[in-house]
Amino acid sequence: MKTNSSHPSVTSEIDKPIMADLQANLQYIKETIGNSSDLVVKVFLGLREWPAALVYMAGLVDQHILHSSILRSLVQHPDRDLEEIEDNRRLDYLMHEVLIAADIEKITEMTEIFTDLMGGNVILLLDGSCIALRIGAAGWEDRNVTEPNSQSVVRGPMEGFNENLRTNITLIRRRIKDPRLWVETREIGYISKTTVAMVYLNHVADDGVVQEVRNRLEKIDIDAILDSGYIEEFIQDASKTVFPTVYNSERPDTVCAALLEGRVAILVDGTPFVLLVPALFAHFFQSAEDYYQRADISTLLRLIRYLSFFIAMLAPSFYIAISTFHQEMLPTNLLISLAAQREGVPFPAFIEAMLMELTYEILREAGVRIPKTVGQAVSIVGTLVIGQAAVDAGVVSAAMVIIVSITAISSYVIPENGLAISVRIIRFLMMGLAATFGFYGILIGLIMLTIHLTSLRSFGVAYMSPFGPLIASDLKDTLYRAPWPFMRARPVSSKAQNLRRQSKKGVRKGVEKRDRI
Amino acid sequence: MKKWLALLLTAVMLLILTGCWDRREMNTLGIIMGLGIDQADNGLKVTAQVVIPAGVSSNTGKVIGSPITVYSQTAPTLFEAIQKLTLVSPRMMFLSHIRVLVLSEEFASHVGIGDIMESMVRDPMVRPDYYVMIARNTTAETILSTLTALDKISANKLYNSLEQSSKTWAPTTVVNADRLFEHMISSGISPVVTGVQVMGDPKAGSLQRNVETSNPGTKLIYTGIGVFKKDKLIGWLNEDESKGFNYIRDNVRVTVGHVNCSNKGKIALRHIKTSSKMKAEIRQSIPSINIHVKVISTVASVECDEQIGNIDVINRLQRDAESKIINLMKKAVESVSRKYKVDIFGFGEEINRTNPKLWKQLESQWNEKLAELKVNYTAEYEIKQVGTLDDSFQSYIKE
C-alpha cells in the first residue's frame, strides 16, 4: 500500500520511534512541523493520572467525528477503575473499549505520525507508551460533485469528478456494481504523498497492460504530484510527439465506459481529471454523448468531427497554398472575388495567415486567463482584431477572417482538448509547408504525419488502430457508431481479455416477449 | 542528439534553399479572361482582356470605372506577345482562367489557327475548357474591348451567353479548346467554330456609357458557325444550315421550332428532349450514313384555329415537324459538301468507327468523295404535351 521508497534528505530526521515521554514527543512533533499554527495539540488529563494528548491538523479532520466519537468517548468513558488496568494494557483498553471510532490503528514510528497527521487523522499519544493511536477522522471541505466544465453534454449524466479521490472512486463504483472492479492505490511524490489509484475491471482489462501501468507508476520518482498531468507525462509511451497518448476525462460515465472496454483508469487525489490508458487516436473523437444519442446522429456527428479535425489542421494552409500557388484550381468567379479582397492587402497570404492565427491564439490564451469580470472586454476587442475592423483597415482580407474563424471553431469540435492542442501545433507547421511548397508541401506534411502517427503506441497498442492496422470489427465504434444491439463485442484494439458484451442473440428472449405485449 | 540536430537543420535549410520560386500572390496577377488574336504585319497582335477585381466584386461597395482593361501587343509568336504585355500591364499575365479565345476572321482564314491552338494546348497552366470563337467582320480586339451589361466581364458574358444559347437555341454550338484541338487532328471530321459579331458602333462599345443605358448601343452577338478546312476558315453556315448541322451532331438539347398550320398561322413547338444517332452502313465497300433524330416536344403556342385536341391533327403536326427537321439536315449536308467540300459532320469518323480498314482507303480523298456519300435521314417526332390549354385560344375568342 505505502511506498517503500525512502528519501533520506527529508525523512531521515523524523525516522525514529515514538518515545515514552509525552512532552518530549509533543515537543518533537511541534519542532518538526515548525510550530505551524494549524497543528492542534490538546493535552488531556481526563483519564485520571494518564496524561494524554490529541494531535491533529486543524481543517483536515471532521469536527463532528472529533467531537462525538473521540472527545466525547474519552471524557465520558465508562466509569471503571482505571487503576485496575495494567499499564501495558492501557492502550488496548482505550482502543477497544473507550473509543467508538471505526478506524483505529496502532503506530510506533514518528514518520507514521506525520504522514497520518497530514492525511487527516487524529493521533492519540499516551504518556509512558511508545505506541500511539491513529484515529481516522479525515474530513475537509470539498467541491461538490458538479457538472464537468470540459466535455459537457446535452443529454447524459451531468456529474463530474471532483478533487476528492474517495468521491471519485465512489462515482465509479456507483456505476459499476461488480466485485471485478479493482482499485489499487499507492502514494507518489515523496513530499506531496499524493494518493494515486489504479482502477480496472479484473478479467476484462489485459493483465499485461495492468502490469505495465503498475510498473510505470512504480518508476515515478518526484517530490510532488499536483495533477494527473504529471503522471501522464511520466507514463506516456512517446515524449517526442505532439499527440496525446493518454486520454483524460472529467466524466465518470466516460471513465466507466473505458473500464468496460478493458482500459485502465488512473485517478489522482486532488484533481478531477482521470487518466485512461491505452488511448488511441480514435478515442479522441468519441464523445460521451455519442452513446446516449441515436446511432445515426452520433455517426453523422463523428464524421463531422473527423472533418473538423482536418479543417482545424489544414484550412489556413489550404488557403495559403491555393492563393499563392494554385490559383488555376479556383473557380474563376471565386478567384476574382478573392483577388478583389486581396487588393491593397500589404502582406503575402502566409504572413497574413500567420498574423491572424497568432492573434487568435493570443486572444484565446487571454480569454482563458482573464478574470471573468473583464471577460467582456476580450470579446469586444477580439471581434475588432479578428473581424470587419481588421478588414476595413486593409491589414487582412475578408476571406482570411473567414478561414481563421472556421479553423478556430473547428478545433473546438474535437471532444478532447489534448488533441485539439496538437492540431494547433501542426497547423502552424502545415502553414509553413504550404507557403513554401503549396499543395505539394501539404501532401509531404500529411505523409510525414501519417508515418508518425502509425509509429506511435500507447501501452503496447498501435495508436492508429483500428485504422492502421485495420481491425474491421472495431470500426463499429470509431469511424461510425453502430446501434447498441450490434455492439456485441468489446473493441479488440483496447486489448480486452473478455470480448463478449452481449449474448449471441443480442437481445434476451424474455425481454423480447415482454416487449411484444 | 547532435546528429538529430544536424538532420533537422539540414531539412530546414532544404526548405529555405528552394525558396518560393513559383509563389505569386493573387494581387500580383493580371487575370486574363479573354484572349484575342489579330493579324499584324510582323506576326500577330495579341489582345488580353484583364479583369480589374475591385471593379467586379460587389462587396467592396461602389464600383467605379471599368471592370476590365484591355492590353495589346504585337510579336512574332503568341507567348512572346503575352510576355510583352507586361510592358503596359503592371501585373504578371495569368492565363489559367481564360474563358474565351477570340480569333479574328482575317487571321483565321489567312494565317490559320493551328499554331495558336498548339501553343495554347501545350501550356500546362491553361485549362482547355475555354471557348474558341471567330470575330466576324471585326477584330478580336474590338470584341474584347466591348463592355457588356449584366455580366460585367465581357469574356464571361461571351462564355455564359454561348453556353446558355447552345443549350436552348439550336443554331449555336459550343466549341471548347479541347474539342477544337481534337477535331483539328482527327481525319474524319473538320472543325467548326462559332462566330461572334459586334452589333452597333464598335468604338462606343468600349465606353462605360455603353452599359449605363438600358439598351446598350453596342452589343456582342453570336452569328453562324465557321467552317474550317485544316486550320483555316473557309466559310460560314447560315442559321438554317447551323440548325441542320447541330441536329446531325446531336448538339441540340432544347429549342423551339414551328410548323405551319393547314391554313394561316403557325404552331410553335418546344423540344423537351432531342437526340440523334449517326450510324455508318457499308455495303460492298460503299459507305452510307443513317441519321436518326428523335424529338419529344410540347406545344408552346397555337396561333391558328387548329384543333390540337384531335389526335389526327397531332399526327399531322408530328409528320410536318419530322419532314422539317429532315429538310434542315439535308440542306446543311448538301450545301456544305457542295460549297466547302469538308466533312464537318464527322461522317468519316463514323465510317472509321464501323470499318477502319475501309476508312484507311477512303481517308486521303475523303473531301472529294463527300459529295457522292449517300445519307439517309429519319426522324421521329413526338408531341407529348400540349400545355395547359386544349384547343387554340383563337377558336374561343368571341367575334
Side-chain angles (χ1 to χ4, degrees):
Chain A
M1 283 282 283
K2 303 259 165 68
T3 46
N4 46 13
S5 59
S6 56
H7 291 272
S9 57
V10 181
T11 43
S12 65
E13 296 162 28
I14 53 174
D15 197 11
K16 64 186 219 174
I18 297 170
M19 295 164 283
D21 183 7
L22 177 66
Q23 282 310 318
N25 278 335
L26 290 178
Q27 187 62 32
Y28 183 76
I29 292 171
K30 277 181 187 165
E31 268 171 21
T32 311
I33 219 154
N35 286 317
S36 297
S37 58
D38 57 342
L39 178 81
V40 181
V41 176
K42 179 160 175 55
V43 180
F44 198 72
L45 293 167
L47 297 171
R48 304 270 165 101
E49 287 100 82
W50 306 349
L54 281 177
V55 184
Y56 61 90
M57 302 303 289
L60 289 183
V61 296
D62 188 328
Q63 291 297 318
H64 180 72
I65 300 177
L66 181 69
H67 286 135
S68 64
S69 312
I70 302 170
L71 282 177
R72 182 165 301 176
S73 51
L74 283 175
V75 175
Q76 303 180 345
H77 69 276
D79 196 21
R80 272 179 62 179
D81 201 352
L82 290 169
E83 296 295 328
E84 288 173 17
I85 297 158
E86 293 164 36
D87 277 5
N88 53 8
R89 279 204 65 251
R90 283 180 191 171
L91 211 70
D92 288 319
Y93 169 70
L94 282 176
M95 190 171 161
H96 297 301
E97 291 175 55
V98 175
L99 289 165
I100 53 172
D103 180 17
I104 305 178
E105 213 183 354
K106 285 180 187 170
I107 50 174
T108 53
E109 297 292 320
M110 273 295 175
T111 338
E112 288 174 274
I113 287 188
F114 290 106
T115 315
D116 291 335
L117 272 179
M118 303 311 157
N121 295 288
V122 177
I123 309 290
L124 178 66
L125 290 162
L126 214 57
D127 193 31
S129 170
C130 292
I131 300 169
L133 283 185
R134 178 192 69 78
I135 308 155
W140 51 81
E141 288 303 311
D142 264 325
R143 196 165 59 95
N144 287 331
V145 173
T146 51
E147 202 185 329
N149 281 326
S150 62
Q151 304 172 320
S152 53
V153 294
V154 176
R155 180 179 169 180
M158 299 293 175
E159 277 179 337
F161 286 124
N162 68 6
E163 281 76 9
N164 188 330
L165 181 70
R166 289 285 149 221
T167 315
N168 293 350
I169 292 174
T170 313
L171 285 173
I172 296 175
R173 274 232 191 265
R174 280 221 320 254
R175 284 174 173 77
I176 303 176
K177 300 177 188 72
D178 195 287
R180 275 172 291 188
L181 183 75
W182 284 15
V183 180
E184 279 181 37
T185 49
R186 68 188 65 233
E187 266 173 16
I188 302 180
Y190 59 83
I191 289 181
S192 74
K193 298 191 179 62
T194 311
T195 316
V196 174
M198 217 175 111
V199 181
Y200 57 93
L201 270 183
N202 194 29
H203 296 310
V204 174
D206 179 54
D207 293 336
V209 172
V210 172
Q211 189 54 46
E212 187 60 36
V213 176
R214 216 176 269 141
N215 291 347
R216 289 189 195 181
L217 288 177
E218 202 66 65
K219 279 188 195 138
I220 300 174
D221 176 16
I222 190 174
D223 55 349
I225 299 285
L226 298 181
D227 181 79
S228 51
Y230 289 43
I231 307 269
E232 177 175 341
E233 285 198 16
F234 276 115
I235 64 170
Q236 68 189 359
D237 289 59
S239 52
K240 290 191 190 69
T241 178
V242 293
F243 288 97
T245 50
V246 177
Y247 192 91
N248 70 67
S249 178
E250 236 187 314
R251 302 183 56 85
D253 51 332
T254 304
V255 172
C256 288
L259 291 175
L260 288 165
E261 283 182 2
R263 288 192 259 161
V264 179
I266 300 160
L267 285 76
V268 178
D269 194 25
T271 177
F273 288 95
V274 172
L275 304 180
L276 290 169
V277 290
L280 309 182
F281 185 71
H283 290 158
F284 294 90
F285 292 92
Q286 297 170 339
S287 156
E289 208 168 4
D290 286 358
Y291 304 96
Y292 312 142
Q293 277 174 336
R294 293 175 45 80
D296 40 13
I297 296 165
S298 305
T299 301
L300 178 72
L301 290 179
R302 206 165 269 183
L303 293 177
I304 286 175
R305 277 183 219 132
Y306 282 111
L307 180 73
S308 310
F309 170 76
F310 283 104
I311 293 177
M313 186 167 67
L314 295 176
S317 43
F318 251 69
Y319 179 77
I320 292 169
I322 289 186
S323 69
T324 52
F325 288 95
H326 314 284
Q327 292 95 346
E328 64 275 3
M329 285 182 66
L330 286 170
T332 307
N333 289 335
L334 182 60
L335 173 72
I336 293 170
S337 170
L338 288 180
Q341 291 170 22
R342 275 201 61 81
E343 287 298 320
V345 173
F347 305 115
F350 174 64
I351 303 287
E352 196 188 344
M354 267 303 193
L355 211 69
M356 289 300 275
E357 285 294 341
L358 279 177
T359 314
Y360 169 70
E361 291 295 332
I362 290 168
L363 269 177
R364 205 198 91 100
E365 193 59 21
V368 175
R369 310 277 162 248
I370 206 147
K372 276 198 180 117
T373 41
V374 283
Q376 282 251 302
V378 169
S379 49
I380 293 167
V381 175
T383 46
L384 286 181
V385 283
I386 303 188
Q388 195 56 40
V391 177
D392 290 343
V395 183
V396 291
S397 61
M400 188 54 82
V401 175
I402 295 173
I403 296 287
V404 172
S405 313
I406 184 77
T407 311
I409 288 297
S410 296
S411 69
Y412 291 107
V413 174
I414 302 164
E416 212 265 357
N417 199 30
L419 190 67
I421 290 167
S422 32
V423 165
R424 275 157 62 198
I425 299 170
I426 296 166
R427 182 193 304 153
F428 284 100
L429 295 176
M430 285 292 184
M431 279 161 67
L433 281 170
T436 39
F437 294 121
F439 274 143
Y440 176 65
I442 294 178
L443 200 69
I444 287 179
L446 285 178
I447 290 171
M448 304 270 272
L449 194 69
T450 313
I451 293 172
H452 174 67
L453 276 172
T454 43
S455 74
L456 285 179
R457 280 174 175 276
S458 175
F459 286 81
V461 181
Y463 192 54
M464 283 311 277
S465 63
F467 305 124
L470 182 74
I471 302 167
S473 66
D474 279 6
L475 293 180
K476 67 178 180 291
D477 190 24
T478 46
L479 200 59
Y480 56 98
R481 206 278 273 174
W484 273 113
F486 295 98
M487 298 240 235
R488 286 186 198 151
R490 301 203 160 86
V492 180
S493 47
S494 56
K495 277 195 163 181
Q497 281 183 358
N498 179 356
L499 288 178
R500 200 175 68 93
R501 230 183 182 149
Q502 300 173 18
S503 61
K504 280 245 167 71
K505 285 285 283 174
V507 181
R508 270 180 293 155
K509 269 184 185 165
V511 179
E512 255 179 332
K513 265 181 199 159
R514 204 175 57 211
D515 283 353
R516 278 199 202 113
I517 296 164
Chain B
M1 203 59 211
K2 256 186 184 163
K3 204 177 77 186
W4 276 107
L5 206 71
L7 241 133
L8 193 80
L9 270 174
T10 322
V12 170
M13 273 184 213
L14 276 173
L15 280 178
I16 300 162
L17 274 174
T18 57
C20 315
W21 61 275
D22 60 348
R23 192 179 70 89
R24 32 174 210 243
E25 293 296 328
M26 275 191 290
N27 43 1
T28 62
L29 297 177
I31 303 160
I32 300 182
M33 297 294 283
L35 199 65
I37 315 285
D38 287 303
Q39 204 176 0
D41 298 335
N42 55 344
L44 42 88
K45 182 179 179 190
V46 170
T47 307
Q49 186 186 95
V50 177
V51 64
I52 301 171
V56 180
S57 189
S58 52
N59 57 8
T60 44
K62 216 175 175 187
V63 173
I64 309 148
S66 164
I68 51 167
T69 180
V70 171
Y71 299 119
S72 291
Q73 278 298 322
T74 309
T77 66
L78 176 69
F79 279 100
E80 277 173 283
I82 289 174
Q83 290 307 104
K84 214 172 155 186
L85 285 176
T86 43
L87 289 179
V88 278
S89 150
R91 294 185 181 183
M92 170 195 160
M93 289 295 122
F94 185 63
L95 261 179
S96 298
H97 280 272
I98 167 174
R99 308 261 77 190
V100 292
L101 174 63
V102 187
L103 302 137
S104 75
E105 196 173 1
E106 194 191 7
F107 182 83
S109 49
H110 293 122
V111 183
I113 62 172
D115 296 338
I116 297 294
M117 289 316 294
E118 205 273 347
S119 9
M120 289 296 281
V121 174
R122 186 181 288 280
D123 187 356
M125 293 275 294
V126 182
R127 284 196 294 209
D129 64 346
Y130 51 90
Y131 291 154
V132 183
M133 53 197 68
I134 305 287
R136 258 183 112 169
N137 305 322
T138 181
T139 59
E141 189 179 5
T142 319
I143 297 282
L144 290 177
S145 306
T146 306
L147 289 175
T148 53
L150 206 56
D151 234 326
K152 288 178 193 162
I153 305 162
S154 59
N156 248 351
K157 143 42 251 177
L158 286 171
Y159 185 90
N160 293 332
S161 147
L162 187 57
E163 193 163 76
Q164 282 311 314
S165 77
S166 75
K167 275 182 195 159
T168 53
W169 187 236
T172 49
T173 186
V174 290
V175 184
N176 63 31
D178 222 12
R179 186 124 70 99
L180 178 62
F181 200 69
E182 198 184 302
H183 287 183
M184 274 166 68
I185 56 174
S186 163
S187 62
I189 187 164
S190 292
V192 292
V193 174
T194 324
V196 61
Q197 242 178 344
V198 177
M199 226 172 68
D201 179 15
K203 278 202 180 118
S206 62
L207 299 174
Q208 186 73 25
R209 232 180 316 141
N210 189 42
V211 288
E212 276 167 4
T213 55
S214 63
N215 188 2
T218 315
K219 290 175 193 164
L220 297 173
I221 185 169
Y222 284 105
T223 46
I225 294 174
V227 179
F228 278 74
K229 188 169 193 174
K230 286 187 179 162
D231 69 334
K232 288 204 174 80
L233 178 73
I234 52 169
W236 294 92
L237 300 184
N238 64 25
E239 191 170 316
D240 275 354
E241 288 164 348
S242 303
K243 268 190 201 172
F245 166 78
N246 280 329
Y247 274 117
I248 295 171
R249 289 295 303 158
D250 196 15
N251 288 337
V252 182
R253 289 281 157 271
V254 177
T255 186
V256 179
H258 71 265
V259 288
N260 293 323
C261 300
S262 41
N263 27 27
K264 243 172 48 183
K266 287 179 171 62
I267 292 179
L269 298 167
R270 186 192 302 125
H271 294 197
I272 297 168
K273 204 177 151 192
T274 316
S275 65
S276 72
K277 278 204 177 82
M278 192 196 289
K279 274 266 152 64
E281 207 179 307
I282 291 140
R283 284 218 183 109
Q284 291 146 2
S285 12
I286 295 167
S288 66
I289 299 284
N290 296 326
I291 296 164
H292 181 72
V293 178
K294 202 174 161 186
V295 179
I296 294 170
S297 78
T298 170
V299 175
S301 72
V302 182
E303 296 166 11
C304 56
D305 55 2
E306 205 78 76
Q307 303 293 308
I308 59 156
N310 187 341
I311 192 72
D312 294 332
V313 176
I314 295 288
N315 283 339
R316 186 171 52 76
L317 290 176
Q318 288 181 175
R319 278 197 309 279
D320 285 356
E322 279 166 13
S323 61
K324 207 176 167 193
I325 289 173
I326 289 174
N327 261 331
L328 279 172
M329 296 192 287
K330 210 178 255 173
K331 266 188 196 161
V333 171
E334 273 165 14
S335 75
V336 169
S337 19
R338 197 184 60 242
K339 272 196 282 185
Y340 306 123
K341 291 198 173 63
V342 287
D343 180 8
I344 58 172
F345 305 101
F347 295 149
E349 211 174 38
E350 195 51 46
I351 294 168
N352 186 11
R353 218 169 280 156
T354 319
N355 192 338
K357 274 185 193 157
L358 181 68
W359 175 245
K360 278 270 176 326
Q361 299 165 19
L362 296 171
E363 200 179 351
S364 50
Q365 297 130 12
W366 180 241
N367 286 345
E368 283 71 44
K369 285 187 180 159
L370 203 58
E372 301 160 21
L373 183 73
K374 193 173 172 336
V375 186
N376 304 313
Y377 310 91
T378 48
E380 194 183 331
Y381 203 98
E382 230 182 312
I383 298 172
K384 282 242 162 133
Q385 299 158 11
V386 292
T388 52
L389 295 175
D390 192 359
D391 285 340
S392 162
F393 209 56
Q394 263 189 29
S395 42
Y396 294 104
I397 297 175
K398 298 271 181 331
E399 287 288 318

